[in-house]
Amino acid sequence: MAHQPVPSLAPPVPTPRVRPRFKVRTELSIDQIESRLRAKLEGARGKIVGVFVPDRVELVPHPAKAHFWSPQLSLEFSEGDDGTLICARFGPHPPVWTLYMGIHAVGAFSTLGAAIFGMSQHMAGESPWALWALPVSPLLAALVWALAFIGQNLGAEQMYMLRKFLDESLDDDAVPDETAE
C-alpha cells in the first residue's frame, strides 16, 4: 500500500447526514495508532480529550471549550492483513443523541395514538377530531431533523478540529478508504 497523505480538509460544510462517517486505512497497528493519539493528546491539553477502550477511541473537545452542540469523534479500529481500518463517526454527545431519538419516539407514538384514537372516533360515528393531530408529526420530525443540522453547523469548527487532530496523528501513514460511507 502506497503512503499517501490524507488530503487537507477545508472547513467543513454540514453534510446531509445526522452522524457523518468516514473510513481511513493505515499500515500502522492499533497499538501504534493509540500511542500516536496519546502522544498527540499530551500536546493538545486544553483542546481535546480522549477516552481509550480496547479497539476504540472517543475524541471530544475539552469540557472548558464544549457546548451543547459540541461533537465527538468515535474511532473504531479493525486490523487486517493489509493494515488497520479506522471507522470514524462524528456524533453528538450521548445525552444529546438520546434527546434527539426521544423526541422522534414521542412523535411516532403520538402519531400512532392519534391515528388509533381518530379511527376509533370515526368507527363510533363521532367526529374524528384526533386525526387533525396527524400532520403535526411530520412537522415535528422535520423540525428536529433541521435542528440536528443547525447543531452540526454550530459544531462544524470543532468537527474540523477533531478531524485535523486525527489526520495529524496519523501523519502520512493513512489514506482515505474508497469504501467510506
Side-chain angles (χ1 to χ4, degrees):
M1 173 184 286
H3 292 292
Q4 299 176 7
V6 175
S8 63
L9 296 171
V13 175
T15 60
R17 304 179 87 148
V18 175
R19 297 187 335 165
R21 301 166 195 239
F22 63 94
K23 294 181 182 180
V24 178
R25 188 170 297 282
T26 179
E27 292 179 358
L28 298 171
S29 70
I30 294 174
D31 291 335
Q32 290 172 318
I33 294 168
E34 288 181 353
S35 66
R36 283 188 179 195
L37 288 171
R38 287 180 197 277
K40 187 85 170 144
L41 281 170
E42 287 296 319
R45 288 190 187 265
K47 291 184 180 177
I48 297 175
V49 176
V51 177
F52 292 79
V53 294
D55 299 335
R56 185 177 175 92
V57 175
E58 300 283 335
L59 299 173
V60 297
H62 191 276
K65 299 188 185 288
H67 50 78
F68 183 77
W69 298 108
S70 290
Q72 68 179 25
L73 179 59
S74 300
L75 307 172
E76 293 184 26
F77 309 113
S78 58
E79 239 170 355
D81 295 336
D82 56 347
T84 303
L85 178 65
I86 303 171
C87 296
R89 181 184 68 227
F90 285 105
H93 289 284
V96 176
W97 183 248
T98 302
L99 176 65
Y100 176 81
M101 294 307 294
I103 292 171
H104 278 296
V106 167
F109 286 122
S110 297
T111 301
L112 181 62
I116 291 171
F117 190 64
M119 290 307 294
S120 297
Q121 288 175 316
H122 177 70
M123 290 162 73
E126 297 177 16
S127 175
W129 57 266
L131 293 178
W132 285 102
L134 294 181
V136 173
S137 179
L139 293 175
L140 177 65
L143 176 66
V144 172
W145 189 76
L147 284 174
F149 288 107
I150 290 169
Q152 193 177 68
N153 192 31
L154 293 172
E157 186 176 323
Q158 290 178 332
M159 286 174 68
Y160 175 70
M161 176 185 67
L162 292 171
R163 175 66 193 258
K164 184 177 176 187
F165 176 85
L166 174 64
D167 291 342
E168 289 174 354
S169 297
L170 298 175
D171 291 328
D172 294 339
D173 295 310
V175 294
D177 193 307
E178 304 303 325
T179 62
E181 297 176 17

